[in-house]
Amino acid sequence: MIELPLQVSEALEPTRFEAAMMVINVAKALVGIAIAYIAYRGYRRNESRPMLYLAVGFVLVLGVPFVLFLGGLPLVALVAVPSVAEQAIVAASELSQVIGLLIIVYALRM
């Protein structure tokens, strides 16, 4: 029987594509949070409830999934059943995005 050494270092090295996707995800999160901040300032200045809903919607669509992704990576590595934890994180992220989009639609309809 041939013994193969466990090569953890190669498995953890990100490829260029994964690194580029991470940079894009960070940019999406930052732009979403900036839009949410501008909408919140509009709410504070004009006391416009649609702007508050717009701010909350953008946080839910772009901010929360990014935080779940960053917080979920260490969690998936620590949990005994990583596929279940990963599925829960993906489900929570998708649910956050759907709720955020519904809130944005509600804000635009007000």
Side-chain angles (χ1 to χ4, degrees):
M1 178 177 244
I2 299 174
E3 291 185 26
L4 296 174
L6 181 61
Q7 298 176 353
V8 176
S9 62
E10 287 184 12
L12 295 179
E13 287 182 17
T15 63
R16 288 182 181 163
F17 176 75
E18 290 170 343
M21 291 307 295
M22 186 61 172
V23 168
I24 290 170
N25 284 333
V26 169
K28 280 189 338 186
L30 291 176
V31 169
I33 297 301
I35 292 170
Y37 176 71
I38 292 167
Y40 180 73
R41 280 189 15 209
Y43 161 72
R44 296 277 298 194
R45 184 180 314 127
N46 302 324
E47 296 180 10
S48 171
R49 288 186 63 88
M51 293 302 281
L52 177 63
Y53 287 120
L54 196 63
V56 170
F58 270 101
V59 167
L60 287 174
V61 169
L62 295 169
V64 171
F66 183 71
V67 170
L68 285 174
F69 175 72
L70 284 184
L73 289 177
L75 178 68
V76 169
L78 294 176
V79 174
V81 187
S83 64
V84 174
E86 186 176 356
Q87 290 172 355
I89 291 168
V90 169
S93 173
E94 295 293 325
L95 184 63
S96 171
Q97 289 178 358
V98 168
I99 292 171
L101 287 172
L102 290 173
I103 290 173
I104 290 171
V105 168
Y106 178 72
L108 295 174
R109 301 278 301 172
M110 289 180 88

